[in-house]
Every structure is written in C-alpha cells, then in structure tokens.
C-alpha cells in the first residue's frame, strides 16, 4: 500500500514502526510525502519530521494526521485501521429522510454507566419505543484524557478509544440501522483542542493571527486543509455508513474572499455526489448563530445547500416562556410575540435589533422553504451544559411545565430534537467536564470557566470544577428514574406525542404558511399547525377553549376536569397546561386515549 502525509513544513519525513527500521518517505508535489509499506490492522506507526538525531523532540514520532485509531492516546503512535475488516449487515439500508423525523442527541460518555458505544447499543430499543428516527452523537474524535464533551478533539479521523474505538463505532452504526435508526455524527471543523494538536508541525493547518472563541482558526485558504475537512466528512459517510453530519459552529469557519466556492458549498456538492453513488440518503445539518438562510438555500440559488440547521431562537423563545428567565441573550425573547414569530418563521432575529449583540442580526427566511429544515429543541447540550450549574429544565420547572415543553417540542413546525434524558425529565445535570492530564491546562480551564460566569453575574460557587471527576460522574444519566413516578409518566407522554406525530399529518406538514401563532393574553398562546392548533396556558387562571363540532382533543394536560376526559363542550385549561386540538377523526379518537396522563 501507499501511505501519504501532507507535511510542507518538514524537510524530511520518516515512517516509524516499533521494532523496525525507519522508512524514508519521498517528497511529492504540493508538500506531500509518500512511500510504499505494508501495514496490517493494529500495526502501530507514526511520522518523524525533520532531521532529529534521537536526542530530543526532533526525533519523536508524531501521530498520523489522518489516524483512525489512537490506542494509547493522542500523543502516542497511531494504529492502522482497515475499514474493510468489518462485516456489515445493513446492505438493504437506504437511510432516513429528515422530514417527519425525531432526532435524539446524546453524549456517549454519559449516556450509559459504561460510557461506550457497545453499551449504547443496548439502549437502542428505548429509542425505538420513544419514536426516535435519528440519533445524533456528540463528537467522538480523539482528545487528550478519558472524558470530554468532545469539542477538544485534535485527531478528526479517530474514534476515541475510551468509547471503543473504530470497531465499536461500526458495530453501533450497524446495530442502529438494524433498529431502523439513522446516525448523525457531530463534527468540529472550526478549531482544534488544546492538547495533542501536532498539525502545525506538519503544515499551515491554522491561520496565523485569526482566532475563534475556542482557539486558532483553521486555515481554509489552503487546498490541502480544505481536502482534510472534505475527506473527513466523506470518510464518516462512506466508511462508517453514517447517515448525516452535524457541522459544529459553521459561523467560525473563516476563509478569504479569494476562494471561488465557500467550504460549505464545496462540502455539500461532494456529499450530494456521494449520496448518488451510494444510493442512500445523506444529510448535512449546520449549527450557525448567523440566522442567515444562505445555509439552507440551494447552491443553484446562491446558497450553501445544507439540508437543515439548528435554530437557537426557537429554543430561546420556548425557554423564556417556560422559565421567565430574561438575562443575557434571553432578554429579547421576553417579547410575547417571540414564540409565535419563531413558530412561523424560524428566526426571531431576521434583521431585527439584537440587544445581546448590539446590532441588527439575521435575515428573513424566504417563503416556500419546508419547515423541517429547522432543527428545534427545548434543550440541548449547549443550552444545558453552558449554564453555570449545567442544570436541565427538570431541575427548575414543575412537571406540568415539563409537559408543556414536551408538547411544544414534539409539535414544533421544524424537526424536533431531544437531549438524552429529556424524555423522562432526568434529574441529573449535564455539566461542562474535562479530564486534562496537564495540571496547568486543568487550572486554566477552571479559572476561565469561573471568570466567564462571574462576568455574567452568576454565583461563582455554582460553577463546578470541570476537571473534577465528580463533575463527569454527576452528568451521567440515571436510567432507573425512567421507570417510576413522574419520570415514567413524562416518558409515556413523549411516546404518545411521537405516535401523534406519526399518525397526524398536520404535525409533520412542512408548509410554513400553515404555521402561525398568536399571543392572545398574558401567558396564553395559540399556535397553529394547519387545521390543528396548540393552546398553551402559562397564566395563573383557567382558560376555556372551544372545541368545534368537527374537532376533537388530541391531547390535553389540564387538571380542570378532575382528570376525566372532556366528552363535549369546551375544554378548560388549568394554569400550566396545554391542549392540542385538531380535525375529528372517523371514527372519533377516544378522549381517554388522547388524554395526556397527569402527574400526581
């Protein structure tokens, strides 16, 4: 085989393998080096850059920038991984479209007690019963330490060994497909982590003098760096049979105006070609805070052609309505029109003044685009983990309000996404955690985290030490909760809502023209899904809602009728309750079946 590496900064490159003589690589065009060598799965190897004489760092072998496995960590030798060694059983799998889907976001290290891909396979039946169609994994690529959110990755082609490495990843994807669930992988192309990043020794992977919030900016003006990103994306989709990628913080991808095609448009073009080649649905989802519809606009219309994007504005509107919290970026969403506006248009800031940013922000979404292109959620890893204490909604809201959050999420005009444990109102926090082995890095992270929240007016005592192993352990789900009390009843409600989405086309209709809403009184909203409507009562008094002769209650959480189904006349929504009312079925839906089980 031929092994290659891009190392324009090296005057000499050698391949090193334990117990064998070094092999010189030959210089090729554009900074590439190559040699022919036989490697078997599991064989360890690395590259020695320059003319070191064996007395110092100059003779230390570095991991392969495209390493797929790091069995002893990101500072050590790579191990060869052959993707053809795995016997896939998903030959009939054609993928799943995002339209009408339900995404479940999870972090492998805290999803199960074991924190591995194989353990996560054991939870797939739970996701199937919940109605999940797509599971989204937080980043799995190699980082220094044993546990991390995943956004400190430094070797983008690897699967972290603590999760089970590449072999376990293939087992997980194969099992997910057997269960009918598509896999979306969260990937980070805008920065690298603080420990184990040897890419600058190889070449100009990073842009001098330009930084993101998280570190040096990736140098997208280098053709080889762009290929490093595109080839990585294609690897997940082709070699690991992944169905889609969630592209982290694409607003932090910096390139000069000299590039003829934006990196995102280049990426979607290549993925579209791979989709045609494989005959399998592939999906790209952008995380962007720009509120710019260019992300999901077709390439032929001047956009980037990404299939969908996260919508933080929808989260903010729902969060403020449920919690009343209006500090920081939540301030603008105290507007009672925020919920109806995001329900209809996706963005609240669509060219309007953003007080948090101190400028006008965003642009309107053109009419006609399908609503499923917006990923909408009441909780996610960022909006929980980037709070001082990593507290979920379940740690501050009543069960009644958690039920309303469930209904709003599962009837959302876009594609709903749940964060692991949300479906049963998990009481465990999800905090920011790291496992930096370097004491100075651990201390800098702790101080930076504390200072960040102190500047925002948070109580410093609420901020846990990210590097304390207890912070990680606290963030693991307690699966025993899901089987008892209010947790079990909340889970039953989510399952019922997923069934409603499957059975009632109004709840997955992508036509945004039918997604309108009104703020009818303080704490009260009517949110339309075509002929169906969601009535939300967050006020302190009852609200009588008429049910037409051609309508029926699909779901209600009110306690105003002593827990008995309303067989005729208006439904009275008690404070902190919600109802979904839509066209009457033939035969009519049983009110007892439709009633959302109340918490005791």
């Amino acid at each position: 085989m031929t092994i290659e590496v891009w190392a324009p900064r090296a005057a000499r490159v050698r391949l090193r393998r334990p117990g064998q003589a070094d092999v010189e690589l030959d210089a090729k065009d554009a900074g590439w080096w190559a040699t022919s060598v036989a490697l078997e799965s599991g064989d360890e190897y690395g590259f020695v850059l320059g003319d070191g004489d064996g007395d110092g760092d100059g003779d230390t072998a570095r991991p392969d920038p495209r390493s797929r496995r790091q069995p002893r960590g990101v500072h050590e030798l790579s191990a060869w991984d052959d993707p053809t060694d795995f016997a896939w059983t998903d030959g009939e799998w054609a993928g799943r479209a995002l339209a009408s889907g339900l995404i479940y976001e999870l972090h492998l290290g805290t999803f199960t007690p074991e924190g591995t891909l194989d353990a996560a396979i054991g939870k797939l039946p739970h996701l199937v019963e919940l109605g999940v169609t797509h599971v989204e994994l937080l980043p799995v690529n190699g980082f220094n330490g044993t546990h991390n959110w995943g956004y400190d990755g430094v070797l983008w082609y690897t699967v972290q060994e603590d999760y089970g490495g590449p072999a376990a990843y293939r087992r997980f994807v194969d099992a997910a497909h057997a269960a009918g669930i598509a896999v979306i992988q969260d990937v980070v192309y805008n920065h690298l982590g603080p420990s184990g990043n040897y890419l600058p020794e190889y070449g100009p992977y990073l842009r001098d003098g330009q930084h993101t919030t998280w570190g040096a900016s990736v140098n997208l003006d280098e053709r080889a760096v762009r290929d490093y990103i595109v080839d990585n994306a294609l690897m997940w989709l082709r070699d690991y049979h992944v169905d889609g990628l969630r592209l982290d913080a694409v607003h932090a991808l910096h390139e000069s105006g000299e590039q003829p095609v934006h990196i995102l448009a280049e990426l979607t073009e290549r993925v579209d070609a791979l989709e045609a080649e494989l005959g399998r649905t592939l999906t790209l989802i952008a995380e962007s805070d720009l509120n710019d519809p260019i992300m999901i606009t077709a390439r032929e219309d001047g956009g980037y052609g990404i299939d969908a994007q996260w919508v933080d504005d929808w989260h903010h509107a729902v969060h403020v309505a449920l919690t009343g919290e209006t500090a920081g970026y939540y301030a603008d969403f105290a507007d009672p029109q925020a919920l109806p506006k995001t329900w209809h248009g996706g963005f609240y800031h669509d060219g309007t003044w953003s007080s948090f940013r101190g400028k006008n922000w965003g642009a309107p979404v053109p009419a006609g685009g399908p609503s499923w292109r917006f990923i909408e959620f009441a909780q996610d890893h960022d909006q929980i983990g980037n709070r001082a204490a990593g507290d979920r909604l379940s740690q501050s809201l009543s069960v009644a309000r958690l039920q309303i959050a469930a209904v709003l999420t599962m009837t959302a005009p876009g594609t709903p996404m749940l964060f692991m444990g949300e479906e049963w109102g998990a009481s465990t926090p999800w905090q920011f955690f790291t496992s930096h082995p370097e004491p100075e890095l651990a201390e800098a992270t702790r101080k930076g985290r504390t200072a960040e929240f102190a500047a925002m007016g948070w109580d410093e005592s609420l901020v846990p030490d990210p590097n304390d192993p207890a912070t990680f352990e606290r963030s693991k789900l307690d699966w025993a909760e899901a089987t008892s009390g209010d947790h079990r009843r909340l889970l039953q409600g989510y399952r019922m809502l997923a069934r409603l989405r499957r059975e009632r086309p109004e709840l997955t209709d992508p036509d945004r023209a039918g997604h309108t809403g009104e703020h009818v009184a303080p704490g009260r909203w009517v949110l339309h899904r075509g002929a169906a409507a969601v009535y939300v009562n967050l006020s302190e008094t009852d609200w009588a809602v008429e049910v037409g002769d051609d309508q029926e209650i699909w779901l209600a959480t009110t306690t105003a009728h002593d827990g008995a189904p309303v067989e005729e006349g208006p439904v009275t929504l008690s404070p902190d309750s919600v109802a979904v009312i839509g066209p009457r079925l033939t035969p009519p839906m049983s009110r007892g079946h439709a009633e959302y089980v109340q918490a005791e």
Side-chain angles (χ1 to χ4, degrees):
M1 69 174 66
T2 298
I3 191 165
E4 299 177 306
V5 64
W6 186 64
R9 286 180 173 166
R12 179 188 181 195
V13 181
R14 287 168 285 167
L15 177 72
R16 177 161 296 171
R17 293 166 293 173
Q20 301 189 48
D22 289 352
V23 176
E24 295 282 349
L25 272 68
D26 298 323
K28 304 296 182 181
D29 293 337
W32 284 90
W33 299 75
T35 191
S36 295
V37 66
L39 289 173
E40 303 290 338
S41 288
D43 285 353
E44 293 192 0
Y45 69 100
F47 295 112
V48 180
L49 307 176
D51 289 316
D53 58 8
D55 294 331
D57 289 343
D59 195 50
T60 300
R62 299 305 193 197
D64 182 354
R66 296 186 180 224
S67 169
R68 298 199 182 192
R69 187 177 173 213
Q70 293 295 127
R72 292 182 289 112
V74 297
H75 292 288
E76 303 297 332
L77 292 175
S78 303
W80 188 257
D81 176 72
D82 186 349
T84 64
D85 286 346
F86 186 73
W88 291 92
T89 65
D90 66 349
E92 301 301 315
W93 176 256
R96 294 198 73 153
L98 200 58
S100 303
L102 172 60
I103 302 173
Y104 189 93
E105 186 191 32
L106 67 87
H107 174 268
L108 282 165
T110 51
F111 182 55
T112 64
E114 301 86 351
T116 65
L117 286 150
D118 286 326
I121 290 173
K123 299 300 184 184
L124 290 174
H126 168 83
L127 301 184
V128 171
E129 189 174 6
L130 180 59
V132 169
T133 61
H134 296 70
V135 61
E136 181 175 312
L137 304 179
L138 267 64
V140 299
N141 53 290
F143 55 82
N144 197 24
T146 59
H147 53 268
N148 190 285
W149 272 25
Y151 297 91
D152 284 333
V154 291
L155 286 167
W156 292 350
Y157 285 70
T158 59
V159 175
Q160 179 75 4
E161 202 72 10
D162 298 274
Y163 296 150
Y169 193 96
R170 288 187 281 264
R171 291 194 293 271
F172 177 83
V173 174
D174 201 45
H177 289 171
I181 296 176
V183 178
I184 299 170
Q185 180 58 59
D186 191 345
V187 290
V188 183
Y189 295 141
N190 56 72
H191 75 283
L192 291 113
S195 180
N197 175 21
Y198 296 107
L199 294 182
E201 295 184 18
Y202 284 90
Y205 279 86
L206 304 179
R207 186 189 300 272
D208 293 335
Q210 189 168 23
H211 291 74
T212 70
T213 304
W214 311 281
S217 181
V218 176
N219 186 7
L220 295 176
D221 290 335
E222 277 285 353
R223 179 66 260 170
V225 177
R226 295 171 77 91
D227 289 340
Y228 187 69
I229 290 172
V230 173
D231 291 348
N232 178 263
L234 299 179
M235 176 202 73
W236 292 111
L237 300 169
R238 180 189 59 240
D239 296 346
Y240 285 109
H241 293 206
V242 165
D243 301 283
L245 302 175
R246 181 263 192 187
L247 309 172
D248 178 68
V250 297
H251 50 272
L253 294 171
H254 300 142
E255 61 181 38
S256 71
E258 298 175 0
Q259 296 300 321
V261 179
H262 193 279
I263 184 64
L264 294 176
E266 181 178 343
L267 182 59
T268 60
E269 183 177 8
R270 294 289 299 278
V271 170
D272 286 349
L274 181 63
E275 181 179 62
E277 175 188 336
L278 298 177
R280 170 164 66 85
T281 299
L282 302 178
T283 301
L284 292 178
I285 302 171
E287 182 205 16
S288 170
D289 78 344
L290 300 178
N291 285 21
D292 190 341
I294 193 173
M295 297 292 168
I296 54 176
T297 300
R299 292 191 303 275
E300 55 268 28
D301 295 326
Y304 299 153
I306 297 173
D307 298 290
Q309 76 162 81
W310 281 22
V311 183
D312 281 345
D313 282 13
W314 195 89
H315 166 272
H316 299 345
V318 170
H319 185 90
V320 172
L322 290 170
T323 69
E325 185 178 347
T326 57
Y329 52 69
Y330 290 133
D332 294 342
F333 297 87
D335 177 3
Q337 298 301 326
L339 187 54
K341 185 174 181 180
T342 55
W343 188 273
H344 171 67
F347 299 148
Y348 177 74
H349 287 304
D350 55 4
T352 58
W353 177 259
S354 167
S355 63
F356 178 71
R357 300 176 178 93
K359 63 177 74 174
N360 290 337
W361 198 257
V365 178
S371 60
W372 61 261
R373 293 190 184 278
F374 291 123
I375 310 302
E376 296 172 339
F377 45 89
Q379 301 183 73
D380 77 327
H381 77 275
D382 269 331
Q383 301 301 336
I384 299 172
N386 282 326
R387 296 174 64 82
D391 50 313
R392 299 168 179 262
L393 289 179
S394 54
Q395 293 169 279
S396 59
L397 295 185
S398 65
V399 174
R401 291 210 169 196
L402 291 178
Q403 291 174 332
I404 296 174
V407 174
L408 289 173
T409 301
M410 299 295 283
T411 62
T415 300
M417 184 178 77
L418 306 178
F419 182 66
M420 61 178 196
E422 177 181 351
E423 69 273 24
W424 72 75
S427 66
T428 50
W430 202 73
Q431 299 175 330
F432 179 73
F433 47 80
T434 58
S435 58
H436 298 308
E438 306 91 341
E440 67 280 4
L441 186 54
E443 180 65 9
T445 302
R446 183 189 65 78
K447 287 184 175 179
R449 188 80 174 171
T450 302
E452 176 185 358
F453 286 107
M456 293 188 291
W458 290 80
D459 181 351
E460 293 183 26
S461 66
L462 295 176
V463 184
D465 180 354
N467 229 56
D468 183 346
T471 304
F472 172 62
E473 293 298 328
R474 275 194 301 270
S475 299
K476 290 191 175 188
L477 288 177
D478 177 4
W479 282 86
E481 290 183 330
T483 61
S484 63
D486 290 342
H487 296 294
R488 180 181 62 83
R489 284 182 281 274
L490 190 61
L491 177 57
Q492 290 174 335
Y494 272 97
R495 289 170 176 165
M496 179 181 170
L497 284 160
R499 288 196 300 272
L500 273 178
R501 277 181 55 81
R502 291 193 299 269
E503 295 170 0
R504 298 311 320 231
E506 293 88 347
L507 299 183
T508 53
D509 186 345
D511 185 0
R512 290 173 50 233
H515 305 155
T516 60
E518 303 93 42
H519 175 247
V520 296
R524 296 179 182 178
W525 291 267
V526 182
L527 306 166
H528 301 279
R529 293 295 313 261
V534 180
Y535 293 83
V536 180
N537 186 17
L538 292 172
S539 73
E540 297 179 355
T541 58
D542 288 350
W543 179 16
V545 175
E546 295 294 333
V547 181
D549 292 340
D550 58 346
Q551 294 180 315
E552 62 185 357
I553 301 170
W554 293 352
L555 177 152
T557 69
T558 182
T559 59
H561 298 275
D562 297 324
V566 183
E567 297 298 342
E568 59 182 16
V571 58
T572 300
L573 293 184
S574 55
D576 288 354
S577 67
V578 62
V580 184
I581 298 174
R584 182 178 294 275
L585 292 172
T586 304
M589 176 184 286
S590 164
R591 288 283 179 90
H593 170 74
E595 202 76 8
Y596 193 120
V597 178
Q598 284 296 307
E600 295 176 352

